[in-house]
Amino acid sequence: MFTTEVIASLNELETSLYNYISQNGDKVAYMRIRELADETHVSTATILRFCRKLNCEGFTEFKVKLKLHLKENKTITLKNSQHSVMEFFERTLTGNLEENIMKAASAVSEADSVLFIGIGSSGILAEYGARYFSSLGKFSLYIKDPHFPIHANLNSVTIALSVSGENKFTVTHINQLKQEGSKIISITNTKHSTIAKISDINIPYYVTEELFENANITTQVPVIYILESLAREIYRLTK
């Protein structure tokens, strides 16, 4: 409801009003405009100007939008974690996951090194993957900066992690690495994504994507399973 642009446009009085509303939304939704003015020590004119900045004709319309906003936030329900994991095993392990892992392991075993890339939670798992692969004897690095300068002909494989498969920073990073001769393996939630399509090998895991407010909270258990299975298969091939 309160976008970054709206918050940035607020003056000092309007900001104090915003702070009060964000902390007392349930209460404000049933207040009269005069009651809110008394509580926040601002004029009713300031409140009306604040409402207009949120594209509301007046305080009544603002309260309606506020109630809907509060109701929407309260009705978010999270799936049981067991449901997400079982969904992965039921959908993916009955498909060609093992075949994709074998194909990816073969490509990695022939490379001198492995570069992991990813942003956000995928970046955290990319760092974990680099550590896990190195622990099993395959030298690996995690590069988190999509603008990191790479000017070399690489006999490497890049493993890109992305839930959506559409992260623009990861796409930029892949493009840079492809031009330097790195083979691209991607692990994404679906094969019908930009990152999956521009990869040499894609390993999709197919679980229902979950969002909470502005955060993507889709389970990452499948990614950990794939990374560890891939590392173990690489070890088997090289030994």
Side-chain angles (χ1 to χ4, degrees), residues 5-23:
E5 292 76 14
V6 168
I7 294 172
S9 72
L10 302 178
N11 61 31
E12 187 175 345
L13 286 176
E14 292 164 351
T15 299
S16 68
L17 183 60
Y18 157 75
N19 288 334
Y20 181 85
I21 293 171
S22 63
Q23 295 170 12

Side-chain angles (χ1 to χ4, degrees), residues 81-131:
S81 58
Q82 290 181 341
H83 177 275
S84 299
V85 174
M86 289 305 299
E87 180 182 37
F88 164 62
F89 281 101
E90 288 173 3
R91 287 187 183 180
T92 311
L93 295 185
T94 55
N96 59 349
L97 177 69
E98 296 304 321
E99 180 185 334
N100 288 334
I101 289 176
M102 294 281 285
K103 188 187 303 182
S106 177
V108 173
S109 66
E110 296 172 2
D112 294 333
S113 60
V114 182
L115 304 177
F116 280 85
I117 59 173
I119 300 295
S121 60
S122 292
I124 294 170
L125 288 181
E127 188 170 6
Y128 170 75
R131 176 67 182 234

Side-chain angles (χ1 to χ4, degrees), residues 1-10 50 53-54:
M1 184 175 182
F2 300 105
T3 64
T4 303
E5 292 76 14
V6 168
I7 294 172
S9 72
L10 302 178
F50 175 85
K53 286 189 175 180
L54 274 79

